[in-house]
Amino acid sequence: MAKLHSKLIWVILIALLVFVAYLYWMPNQHNGATRGAAAVAVKTAKAETKAMIRSISSLGTGIANNSITLVSPTSDFITELNVSEGKKVKKDEVIARLHDVEERARVTELEGVLTEQKRQLERLKNLANTQATAQSLLDEQQTKVNTTLAQLDIAKAQLAEMTIKAPFEGYLGLRQVSQGAYINSGTVITTLDDLHKLRVAFSVAEHYLAEIKVGMPLTVTNAAYGDINFIGTVSAVDTRLDPVTRTVTVHGMLENNDLRLRPGMLLNVKLELDNRMAMQISEKALVPQQQKQFVYTVDENDIVHQTEVTIGQRIPGWVEILSGLKEGDEVVVEGIQKLRSGITINRVGG
């Protein structure tokens, strides 16, 4: 029995010695591993000041700067038609003329009557100066002259309606009638578009309304011309928002002297909201913690330190740094998940 107790005591002592040795050996192994471990491989970049361009994209529709449909103001036969599809016309150039014999005759008749009435009026004025005629006759003749003048104005207006002119310089569209045809009032003759400048109408979310100003630069592309950029500016912002989509319609103006852009085109619009110099880093460098933002900076000994930063505007892939860093500071942009303050890093990649 005594031998059994003695053996048990030795077993317990040996177990205690093994446990104490284990406790001593593990920390040393850990510290040795830590001291001998390779530096963490990461990718870094430097904080730099460069142009920060914020923009929004939208789909727009091309609209002619000036665009009308030329219609007949009255009913009659077409005696002259100067419509060639795609033809450039100047302001006040005759597009079409209707049969206007009656209207011309009416104007000539009234001009003759007016001339005679004015002659009679002058005679009565001369007689009135010598008290040889009544004032009532003079007033009556003046009324006749005024009435004829009004009738002549109406006749001239009716005659003018028989000639359809271009109200501005532009390009004619497709011809809808033929010379010699009898057309009714309101019949479409052709279209006229001013294409030297093209407006683009597009919608912008209510969120950006306060930032949009007339004169802001915008860039337009179209599938027909690939990556070619057409440069323009914001020309107008609607005073109302769409209550359903909560968007505001914006118009931009583009120079189109080469006539490559046409009304009705689907246009990809990129509106530049802001363009300024700002210190920036890659968004991938940020380590959010609660309501704060941190980055890992690298010192001259290749040791990282967690640093709090204040951020400003964001653009795809980049973020503005307002405080916490200075120009040229090196930060970790890849491999952050393996880091903590005090760790040595090894730079990899470009």
Side-chain angles (χ1 to χ4, degrees):
M1 191 69 176
K3 289 183 178 181
L4 180 62
H5 287 168
S6 178
K7 289 181 179 180
L8 183 61
I9 291 172
W10 278 106
V11 169
I12 293 172
L13 288 173
I14 291 171
L16 287 174
L17 288 173
V18 169
F19 180 71
V20 170
Y22 173 79
L23 293 178
Y24 175 79
W25 177 77
M26 283 303 295
N28 288 339
Q29 285 292 103
H30 177 74
N31 292 336
T34 301
R35 288 192 296 270
V40 177
V42 298
K43 185 176 180 180
T44 65
K46 292 185 178 180
E48 56 182 325
T49 299
K50 59 183 180 179
M52 170 166 273
I53 302 175
R54 290 196 308 115
S55 61
I56 52 177
S57 299
S58 180
L59 290 177
T61 301
I63 306 173
N65 185 36
N66 290 302
S67 179
I68 62 168
T69 299
L70 294 170
V71 299
S72 172
T74 186
S75 301
D76 219 311
F77 290 96
I78 299 177
T79 58
E80 181 181 345
L81 185 62
N82 302 312
V83 176
S84 297
E85 286 87 347
K87 174 187 175 184
K88 181 179 179 180
V89 295
K90 297 180 179 179
K91 182 179 179 180
D92 294 328
E93 187 172 334
V94 175
I95 305 300
R97 200 186 304 274
L98 304 181
H99 187 263
D100 58 2
V101 174
E102 292 183 6
E103 287 74 16
R104 289 183 182 276
R106 179 60 175 163
V107 169
T108 301
E109 176 188 2
L110 289 173
E111 286 177 342
V113 171
L114 181 62
T115 299
E116 176 60 24
Q117 288 177 344
K118 285 183 175 180
R119 188 182 65 79
Q120 291 290 341
L121 181 62
E122 289 299 319
R123 187 177 66 83
L124 289 173
K125 285 181 179 179
N126 292 332
L127 291 175
N129 291 334
T130 60
Q131 303 296 322
T133 185
Q135 182 66 37
S136 60
L137 292 177
L138 180 60
D139 294 340
E140 181 181 348
Q141 188 62 29
Q142 183 65 63
T143 300
K144 290 180 180 180
V145 170
N146 293 341
T147 301
T148 303
L149 278 171
Q151 293 175 343
L152 181 60
D153 288 340
I154 294 173
K156 286 182 176 180
Q158 292 174 339
L159 177 61
E161 287 182 347
M162 308 306 284
T163 302
I164 301 164
K165 298 180 179 180
F168 54 83
E169 183 178 302
Y171 293 83
L172 296 176
L174 300 178
R175 176 170 58 86
Q176 303 296 329
V177 294
S178 299
Q179 185 166 335
Y182 183 87
I183 58 176
N184 296 314
S185 176
T187 299
V188 175
I189 297 174
T190 186
T191 58
L192 179 65
D193 296 312
D194 175 10
L195 301 179
H196 289 297
K197 289 186 177 181
L198 190 84
R199 288 184 293 160
V200 53
F202 59 98
S203 297
V204 174
E206 178 183 5
H207 173 75
Y208 299 104
L209 179 61
E211 299 183 71
I212 302 173
K213 301 291 185 294
V214 172
M216 277 185 166
L218 55 83
T219 304
V220 167
T221 58
N222 175 261
Y225 300 107
D227 296 330
I228 296 177
N229 290 327
F230 299 90
I231 308 302
T233 57
V234 172
S235 59
V237 181
D238 199 352
T239 55
R240 298 183 179 183
L241 273 73
D242 188 314
V244 177
T245 61
R246 304 300 178 187
T247 58
V248 62
T249 299
V250 180
H251 279 191
M253 188 68 72
L254 306 166
E255 293 293 335
N256 191 39
N257 292 323
D258 53 12
L259 307 183
R260 285 188 289 182
L261 299 177
R262 299 297 178 91
M265 271 186 167
L266 179 64
L267 302 173
N268 301 301
V269 183
K270 187 176 182 181
L271 176 62
E272 189 176 290
L273 296 177
D274 190 17
N275 188 344
R276 59 189 172 84
M277 301 302 292
M279 186 167 65
Q280 305 171 48
I281 62 172
S282 170
E283 276 188 324
K284 295 185 292 185
L286 293 179
V287 181
Q289 293 183 9
Q290 296 180 348
Q291 303 300 319
K292 298 180 179 180
Q293 296 286 348
F294 295 86
V295 297
Y296 281 105
T297 56
V298 183
D299 64 18
E300 63 277 5
N301 298 317
D302 294 340
I303 297 175
V304 296
H305 305 276
Q306 193 176 61
T307 304
E308 183 180 355
V309 295
T310 303
I311 64 174
Q313 298 289 344
R314 290 176 182 256
I315 59 175
W318 298 90
V319 61
E320 179 185 11
I321 299 299
L322 301 178
S323 65
L325 295 177
K326 60 181 182 296
E327 180 83 12
D329 280 352
E330 188 178 12
V331 297
V332 178
V333 296
E334 290 184 13
I336 294 174
Q337 65 275 10
K338 299 177 288 185
L339 297 181
R340 65 179 183 274
S341 291
I343 285 182
T344 302
I345 58 97
N346 178 36
R347 299 172 186 80
V348 296

